[in-house]
């Protein structure tokens, strides 16, 4: 359906569409533009420098058996020099968690292993990356996870390792992270084979409770124990501080609707029961295309005043513990089906006119009333029509804060570090694009 409203001698809209001032224009409305959706699997998913470290396992009838392990470089915040009166007490790994996904009613098991390789903070690691670690755990714990709440796991590590690190006090290996990592490459968090949930452990120093390794000691003149912290971050020469580690996240999709999914080969919604799929750290994304957008300008230049794109989750796919993500963004893509990147190396995120036009690319919130996600893409679609944007497709992916104001990492640490999943309805009535646009009258 197209509705026309005549505007005589309008000044502002004609300037936006490339015609002379005082040209008669008309405003048109359409809600019949074709919107195509498909499911795309990324060819690689970078999971290094995550906001949270993941460990766990669960079985999903739609997405398969999901297994997550984290590989973490523990680093010195300052030089390890405890003085000559220090006496070793213990070595404890604290792993606060603020994210759970799956069924937390059964008991979960996690084990801590010593990594025998150095984690390079300047290297990209991916969801299928791995490192050599000791098969015998340093410690293990079986526990009842607390869903949707903060909890903390405490692993007391062997005294042999604690005394090995304690002996580095005042030595060369205790002065710099480069030398320290040669002694302790890092720690791996490995889930039990019968786990039913994935947990997330924040690694950002400055949050209420970041993951940390603490070397406890007292002095010969004081019985009160003090701790020396080692954190899951490392400072680079550039001054930036990053989480030096990555998440390994794999899926066995045998017997699921996604069993035939292959990297960068879109599967249309019509082939998956009018559904498309999204799962963060596994690189499953819904691709959105508007193939006939440029046909709006077949009779001359136009300026889009408002363009609302809304998609609805398939609520029948929501299960206890497997809730849809609160926020989504649209990453730019093209015919390659790969995420497109800016010259500075960061992912290109589609601008949403409904939020701030500052330096933060926008995310949209699941509307609790209408049960949909809605973007206003007028600025972005105008750029496509003008030719200043050549990436004409979008990839739907989750994020976990609304503003995405992560300076330094510039938002990329928000991507690919949860296992949250989303099923979108592929039915035409559940994917709508409403466009108001201005065109010069003949």
């Amino acid at each position: 359906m197209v509705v026309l409203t005549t505007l005589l001698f309008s000044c502002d809209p004609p300037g936006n569409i490339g015609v002379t001032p005082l040209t008669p224009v008309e405003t048109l409305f359409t809600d019949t533009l074709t919107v195509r959706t498909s499911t795309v699997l990324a060819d690689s998913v970078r999971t290094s420098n995550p906001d949270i470290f993941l460990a766990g396992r669960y079985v999903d009838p739609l997405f398969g058996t999901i297994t997550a392990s984290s590989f973490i470089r523990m680093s010195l915040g300052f030089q390890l020099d405890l003085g000559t009166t220090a006496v070793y007490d213990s070595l404890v790994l604290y792993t606060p968690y603020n994210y759970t996904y799956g069924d937390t009613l059964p008991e979960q098991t996690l084990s801590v292993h010593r990594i025998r390789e150095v984690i390079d903070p300047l290297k990209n690691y991916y969801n299928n990356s791995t490192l050599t670690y000791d098969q015998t755990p340093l410690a293990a714990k079986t526990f009842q996870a607390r869903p949707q709440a903060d909890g903390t796991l405490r692993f007391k590590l062997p005294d042999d390792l604690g005394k090995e690190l304690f002996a580095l006090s005042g030595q060369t290996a205790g002065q710099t992270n480069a030398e320290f990592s040669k002694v302790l490459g890092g720690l791996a968090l490995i889930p039990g084979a019968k786990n039913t949930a994935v947990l997330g452990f924040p690694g950002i120093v400055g949050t209420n409770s970041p993951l940390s390794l603490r070397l406890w000691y007292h002095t010969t003149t004081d019985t009160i124990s003090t701790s020396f912290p080692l954190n899951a971050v490392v400072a680079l020469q550039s001054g930036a501080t990053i989480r030096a580690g990555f998440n390994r996240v794999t899926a066995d999709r045998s017997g699921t609707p996604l069993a035939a999914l292959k990297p960068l080969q879109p599967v249309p919604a019509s082939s998956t029961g009018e559904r498309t799929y999204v799962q963060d750290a596994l690189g499953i994304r819904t691709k959105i295309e508007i193939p006939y957008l440029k046909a709006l300008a077949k009779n001359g230049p136009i300026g889009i005043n408002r363009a609302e794109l809304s998609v609805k989750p398939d609520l029948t796919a929501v299960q206890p513990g497997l809730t849809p993500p609160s926020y989504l963004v649209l990453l730019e893509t093209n015919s390659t089906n790969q995420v497109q990147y800016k010259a500075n190396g960061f992912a290109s995120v589609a601008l949403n006119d409904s939020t701030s036009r500052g330096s933060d690319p926008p995310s949209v919130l699941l509307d609790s009333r209408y049960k949909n996600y809605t973007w206003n893409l007028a600025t972005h679609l105008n750029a496509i029509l003008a030719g200043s944007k050549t990436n004409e497709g979008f990839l739907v992916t989750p994020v976990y804060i609304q503003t995405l104001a992560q300076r330094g990492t510039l938002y990329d640490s928000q991507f690919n570090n949860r296992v949250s999943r989303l099923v979108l309805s592929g039915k035409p009535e559940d994917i709508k694009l409403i466009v108001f646009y201005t065109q010069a009258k003949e």
Side-chain angles (χ1 to χ4, degrees), residues 220-297:
T220 56
T221 59
D222 194 341
T223 58
I224 297 176
S225 195
T226 303
S227 70
F228 180 91
L230 297 109
N231 297 307
V233 298
V234 62
L236 305 178
Q237 289 184 347
S238 63
T241 299
I242 65 171
R243 274 72 66 194
F246 65 95
N247 293 316
R248 173 177 170 82
V249 189
T250 60
D252 179 357
R253 302 188 186 95
S254 303
T256 73
L258 300 175
L261 198 59
K262 296 180 180 179
L264 304 181
Q265 297 184 22
V267 178
S270 58
S271 299
T272 49
E274 297 302 334
R275 285 174 157 183
T276 58
Y277 298 84
V278 176
Q279 191 169 35
D280 192 10
L282 274 300
I284 299 175
R285 298 167 180 140
T286 289
K287 183 177 183 179
I288 296 178
E289 300 173 274
I290 311 168
Y292 307 118
L293 174 66
K294 293 181 179 178
L296 291 178

Side-chain angles (χ1 to χ4, degrees), residues 255-387:
T256 73
L258 300 175
L261 198 59
K262 296 180 180 179
L264 304 181
Q265 297 184 22
V267 178
S270 58
S271 299
T272 49
E274 297 302 334
R275 285 174 157 183
T276 58
Y277 298 84
V278 176
Q279 191 169 35
D280 192 10
L282 274 300
I284 299 175
R285 298 167 180 140
T286 289
K287 183 177 183 179
I288 296 178
E289 300 173 274
I290 311 168
Y292 307 118
L293 174 66
K294 293 181 179 178
L296 291 178
K298 63 183 179 181
N299 295 322
I302 67 168
I304 295 177
N305 310 114
R306 188 169 183 82
E308 288 189 357
L309 173 67
S310 64
V311 297
K312 280 193 173 184
D314 186 336
L315 297 180
T316 64
V318 176
Q319 299 181 15
L322 303 178
T323 54
S326 296
Y327 301 104
L328 296 178
V329 294
L330 297 176
L331 303 179
E332 294 183 28
T333 189
N334 53 26
S335 60
T336 69
N337 302 311
Q338 294 177 311
V339 176
Q340 299 301 293
Y341 291 87
K342 300 176 182 179
N344 59 12
F346 298 120
S348 293
V349 182
L351 179 67
N352 176 27
D353 296 340
S354 297
T355 59
S356 168
R357 296 195 184 192
S359 60
D360 297 336
S363 57
V364 297
L365 177 68
L366 176 62
D367 190 298
S368 59
R369 178 181 179 185
Y370 297 104
K371 305 300 182 185
N372 63 6
Y373 302 89
T374 300
W375 292 267
N376 185 358
L377 298 175
T379 299
H380 194 93
L381 298 187
N382 276 324
I384 291 176
L385 291 173

Side-chain angles (χ1 to χ4, degrees), residues 22-234:
L22 302 182
T23 298
V25 298
E26 55 191 5
T27 298
L28 297 90
F29 159 85
T30 180
D31 61 358
T32 59
L33 275 176
T34 298
V35 179
R36 290 179 182 163
T37 59
S38 56
T39 301
V40 174
L41 176 65
D43 58 342
S44 62
V45 182
R46 186 177 67 83
T47 59
S48 47
N49 188 27
D51 276 0
I52 66 171
F53 293 100
L54 301 174
R57 174 189 177 276
Y58 73 95
V59 178
D60 187 320
L62 297 178
F63 290 80
T65 301
I66 311 301
T67 304
S69 305
S70 52
F71 295 78
I72 309 165
R73 174 170 165 167
M74 306 307 301
S75 300
L76 304 167
F78 42 90
Q79 292 182 347
L80 177 58
D81 192 348
L82 307 178
T84 58
T85 61
V87 179
Y88 169 79
D89 287 333
S90 62
L91 181 66
V92 181
L93 176 67
Y94 297 88
T95 58
Y97 61 91
N98 59 6
Y99 170 80
T100 61
Y101 209 73
D103 184 1
T104 57
L105 288 178
E107 290 186 327
Q108 312 297 312
T109 298
L110 290 179
S111 56
V112 182
H113 299 252
R114 185 173 184 172
I115 296 174
R116 291 296 180 176
E117 299 180 52
V118 175
I119 298 176
D120 185 349
L122 298 178
K123 178 180 177 180
N124 284 334
Y125 294 90
Y126 299 87
N127 69 311
N128 58 358
S129 297
T130 191
L131 294 173
T132 303
Y133 60 86
D134 292 343
Q135 292 303 303
T136 301
L138 296 169
K141 185 175 289 291
T142 298
F143 59 96
Q144 187 81 49
R146 291 162 37 179
Q148 308 303 321
D150 293 340
T152 299
L153 304 178
R154 179 181 180 274
F155 297 88
K156 186 180 183 304
L157 303 189
D159 288 335
D160 286 350
L161 176 59
K163 291 177 180 179
E164 182 182 353
L165 300 183
F166 181 79
L168 302 180
S169 175
Q171 304 300 312
T172 301
Q175 306 307 298
T176 68
N177 281 312
E179 293 300 320
F180 181 80
S181 64
K182 295 177 183 178
V183 178
L184 180 64
L187 299 174
L189 293 179
I190 307 297
K194 296 182 180 180
N195 283 20
T196 58
V198 172
L199 277 63
F201 309 94
I204 304 175
V205 175
T207 56
N208 290 336
S209 300
L211 182 149
S212 65
L213 179 65
R214 292 186 173 268
L215 184 60
W216 289 93
Y217 68 97
H218 67 275
T219 68
T220 56
T221 59
D222 194 341
T223 58
I224 297 176
S225 195
T226 303
S227 70
F228 180 91
L230 297 109
N231 297 307
V233 298
V234 62

Side-chain angles (χ1 to χ4, degrees), residues 46 401 404:
R46 186 177 67 83
I401 53 176
L404 292 181

